[in-house]
Amino acid sequence: PERSIGRERSMSNTLRWLGHAGWEIVTSKGKKILIDAWLSQNPVAPITISDLGQCDYVLVTHDHADHASDVVEIARTTGATMVAQPEVVSRYSQLAESQGHKIQAIGMNIGGTVDLGGVRVTMTDAYHSSESGTPAGYILTLEDGKVVYHMGDTGLHINMTTWGELFDIDVVLIPIGDHYTMDARQAAHALKWLRPKHALPMHYKTFPLLAQSADEFRRYAKETVPDVMIHELEPGEVFRLE
C-alpha cells in the first residue's frame, strides 16, 4: 500500500518509488523532484499522473519509453520544469508543441551541474542506449547536504569509482534487473566503487524479462559491501532520508 509522505516533517527528505526507474523526491525544504516518472503504461505504477500534484522539476535520464514517455503530460499536469540533455529536451519540447502545449525545460549535459532552487544536480554518464542525446544519471545534492544518486539505466563501468570519490553518497538508486541494465552481481560491484550508505534497487520486477526479486542483489551486496544498507521498497513505498 502507498504510504503517506506529507510535508509535515520538514526535517527529512522522502524518496517514493514510483515503480521501475521512477522516483519522487520531496526535499526537507519542500522541493518536489521527479526522476524518470513513468506511470501511464507502467504495470506496477502505484499512482496516476493526476495523483502527483504540483511538482517543481522532472528529470529524464534518457528517451526510452519506460522512462520518458509521460514527461510531456507530467510537465503539463504538474507544472514541472523538464531537465534533460539538450537533444532530449528538443525532442519532447517539439512533441509538446505538436500537442498544443509549451513546457518549461532546462538542457544540461554530462559533468555539468545546475542549481534547481537550492538542489544541486550533476549529470553523470550511463552506459546504455537512446535515440536522442546519450544516457545519463543524476547526482542530487539536496539543500541539507544529503546526496542521492539516480544511476539511470546503465551497465557497469569504471567511471563509477570517480563519482564515489567526488561525492559522499547517502543513497544510490541502482538498477539491478539484468537484460537491459546491470544484473545483481554487477550492481553489487558498483556499490563497492560508489561507497553509498544506502542502496535502493530499481528497474526490476516490472516485466517478466527482468529480475523478479532483489534477493540475489542483496546476497552479492552482503558479500561485497556489507556496510551498505539495502532497502527493498514496494512501488508506492517511501524511504526517509534524515
Side-chain angles (χ1 to χ4, degrees), residues 2 19 42 46 68 76 83-84 105 114 128 143 152 170 177 185 187 189 212 218 239:
E2 181 185 341
N42 181 350
R76 188 185 70 80
V83 179
V114 297
H128 195 59
E143 300 99 332
D170 291 287
R185 185 181 179 204
H189 195 83
Q212 295 300 300
R218 183 181 286 279
F239 176 80

Side-chain angles (χ1 to χ4, degrees), residues 2-3 35-36 47 71 91 103-104 113 139 152 158 175 178 209 215 233:
E2 181 185 341
R3 296 181 188 172
I35 308 176
D36 284 358
I47 61 172
V71 68
R91 172 177 177 172
I103 61 175
Q104 299 299 313
T113 299
I139 297 178
I158 193 66
D178 201 2
L209 275 176
D215 292 350
L233 302 186

Side-chain angles (χ1 to χ4, degrees), residues 31 57 106 108 112-122 141 143:
K31 194 74 64 182
Y57 299 95
I106 298 171
M108 64 180 302
T113 299
V114 297
D115 189 323
L116 303 181
V119 177
R120 291 180 57 78
V121 175
T122 302
T141 303
E143 300 99 332

Side-chain angles (χ1 to χ4, degrees), residues 24-233:
E24 175 198 71
I25 299 174
V26 180
T27 73
S28 60
K29 303 291 186 184
K31 194 74 64 182
K32 189 187 283 191
I33 298 172
L34 306 173
I35 308 176
D36 284 358
W38 172 57
L39 299 171
S40 63
Q41 300 296 318
N42 181 350
V44 298
I47 61 172
T48 65
I49 292 174
S50 60
D51 295 325
L52 287 169
Q54 186 175 352
C55 300
D56 297 294
Y57 299 95
V58 53
L59 280 53
V60 177
T61 63
H62 65 297
D63 68 1
H64 286 169
D66 56 334
H67 297 255
S69 60
D70 281 342
V71 68
V72 170
E73 182 64 16
I74 286 173
R76 188 185 70 80
T77 304
T78 69
T81 297
M82 178 187 179
V83 179
Q85 287 190 344
E87 297 82 3
V88 179
V89 165
S90 176
R91 172 177 177 172
Y92 290 100
S93 294
Q94 290 176 25
L95 177 61
E97 288 175 11
S98 73
Q99 298 172 355
H101 309 305
K102 180 173 175 59
I103 61 175
Q104 299 299 313
I106 298 171
M108 64 180 302
N109 224 313
I110 292 166
T113 299
V114 297
D115 189 323
L116 303 181
V119 177
R120 291 180 57 78
V121 175
T122 302
M123 184 180 278
T124 69
D125 49 344
Y127 280 37
H128 195 59
S129 65
S130 62
E131 286 187 54
S132 51
T134 57
Y138 293 99
I139 297 178
L140 288 74
T141 303
L142 308 181
E143 300 99 332
D144 59 3
K146 297 293 185 184
V147 177
V148 178
Y149 183 12
H150 187 298
M151 300 186 72
D153 279 6
T154 189
L156 188 67
H157 60 86
I158 193 66
N159 297 2
M160 295 174 186
T161 307
T162 304
W163 301 118
E165 291 171 350
L166 288 175
F167 292 88
D168 182 12
I169 300 169
D170 291 287
V171 179
V172 62
L173 310 175
I174 185 166
I176 67 163
D178 201 2
H179 200 91
Y180 297 109
T181 68
M182 294 186 289
D183 62 13
R185 185 181 179 204
Q186 293 173 57
H189 195 83
L191 294 182
K192 187 166 74 171
W193 291 339
L194 294 169
R195 301 178 297 188
K197 299 174 184 66
H198 306 273
L200 280 57
M202 65 176 182
H203 209 280
Y204 73 112
K205 293 200 293 191
T206 324
F207 312 114
L209 275 176
L210 304 182
Q212 295 300 300
S213 150
D215 292 350
E216 193 177 10
F217 171 62
R218 183 181 286 279
R219 189 174 74 250
Y220 278 119
K222 188 174 182 180
E223 295 172 3
T224 310
V225 283
D227 293 341
V228 178
M229 297 181 66
I230 310 298
H231 307 269
E232 298 168 50
L233 302 186

